[in-house]
Amino acid sequence: MGEKKRRAAAGLISFESNPKAARILREAQQFLRNQQLREAKLAFERVLQLEPNRVDALRGLAEVALKVGIVKAAVNILAKAIALEPHDSQTRQRYAEALESSGEIEASVREWQQLCEYHPENAAYWENLGLSKQYIGEIADAKHAYVKALELDPSLSLRCKMATLISPIISSRKAMLLERQQMEENLDALLTMHQEEPVLDDPMRAALWTNFYLAYHGMSNRTLQIKTAQMYRRIVPSLDYVAGHCVEPCRIDGKVRIGLISQFFYNHSIGRTSRGFFARLSRDTFDVTAIFIAPTVQDEYSEFIKQHADRSIVVPQDLHAARALIAAQKLDVLFYQDIGMEPFSYFLAYSRLAPLQCVSFGHPDTTGIPTIDYFISNDLYEAPAASSHYSEKLYLLRDLGTLSYYHRPRLPEKPKTRVEFGLSYEDRIYLCPQNLFKVHPDMDDLMGSILRRDPKGKVVMVSGKIDRWTELIRKRWSESIPDVVERIILLPRMVSSDYLTLIALADVMLDTIHFNGMNTSLEAFSVGTPVVTLPGEFQRGRHTQAMYQKMGLTECIAETSETYVDIAVRVATEAEYRASLRSKILDRCDRLFEDQRVIEEFELAFIELLQRRRPKLV
């Protein structure tokens, strides 16, 4: 029996396709190509009324759902199509991509594995398997998939992915150092390749990424970041874009036109630390543009930003289009709220879109990108040799506890109890609620020592966004601190109001070393929870210390690993001492919130830095 007859006998297709359905399907596909999404949806639904098991109509209906942002619906539709035709590679590929978009990364891994089994000769499937394996932290498997892809298609994009392969969850300090060594060797190889080798046209289409996880290693990343930027500039020449107004000799003859840009202008750590700029920057001096990177999220934070900016624009994740839209604003200052947290703004930052381009603490690591002129930090955040940590020129604001005009969080009217979190009042709670990729292996010994010192102690953390991350870090703890690993509790992820409540319920909060909390420490201080911190060499490990210095408190700032453990155990076990600390924090924490001096310091910085970039301001 032929394949078509077999499928018809199984009821998967009509042996003789309904002519009317075929005609409507062609119309639906044309509507989809023309972005007439409502018409396309109705037409695909009519086809499915005539032929309920028609896979191409299901796939078309899923495409409509994806285009209007109903990702879960698209996943469900494609799952039905897969059940009807498991070996349809086009449908399975779209299903894998939809699963990724919906955040079901581990499910998407299984789909890419299936595609690689069905089509082992397809380099793109192996590459996507490598990407998804890398995302969930299975780096050995990711490397294997990339090698298979390279054997089939030795492309530059694949070589770049291999060069920048870094684990989200560090398995050990030794493994981390090896990954960094291999990364530098691979970057050097790409930087010395022959000039006649082909170049890439679009880093987004090639699915290139940033070195996001380097920031959590507790080491200087300046060299690796600079070499990465050199590699990308060499193999993606289109990155070197310069807006017309940046090459023309001109002077500011009115307000300073400043644009603030991020993909995270919503209820996100960046949205929370950025929104004050839009409301508080002086409108006598500054004209403020909010630049949202699509896809946008509509919530109270994004609405606040839109309402308080002089204007807001949304740029698509298309570098050519985004450059044109931003260049049309003729900005004097482009202030990136984060660079390195996602690929689009990272690659956009290679363009010269304003005479002054700067970044600050949103992702507190140097970018390596030569078109970012300044890293704006704070004298309380930086060690004496800090300028050597940055490829940008370092500019220090003065005497600030935080680099954000931060609105003080408030507990919900009816906060949850410990019991509702599954925690006991008999236990002493050492809370470390940071993302799991912030938990460096050096933290394991600290937690182990605390738990050994306090038999009633429980270290409470929050599970990873990816289930596999939780499994990987538990595996590490079972090897590094096996005697106490059972007293590390990982709670499910939760809404922000519950998160703040959990912080308030803790006896003490453990600041992650090498990369401190920023939002998290501010949230802790807003409810009076003491945070034990061990300042490091880099800005990202010194945030909490600066907040304490601004409050005039030093009791919870450790000088060594041993004193970190001592302080944590004392705060948790001595109720009177803990109450005294809570009282002091609550009395003084207002110094950290809604501080207009933060805005004034940034305003002075923008004016001074513009004067350095241009000979005269009018």
Side-chain angles (χ1 to χ4, degrees), residues 79-99:
K80 180 179 178 181
I82 291 291
L84 291 167
E85 189 52 86
H87 293 277
D88 185 328
S89 59
Q90 186 178 359
T91 305
R92 192 173 282 276
Q93 177 179 337
R94 205 68 186 105
Y95 183 46
E97 293 165 348
L99 286 167

Side-chain angles (χ1 to χ4, degrees), residues 100-111:
E100 286 178 3
S101 298
S102 69
E104 298 180 57
I105 306 299
E106 284 148 307
S108 75
V109 170
R110 293 191 290 271
E111 293 305 313

Side-chain angles (χ1 to χ4, degrees), residues 203-216:
M204 295 302 294
R205 194 158 56 241
L208 300 181
W209 192 246
T210 76
N211 295 331
F212 175 76
Y213 295 112
L214 288 181
Y216 304 98

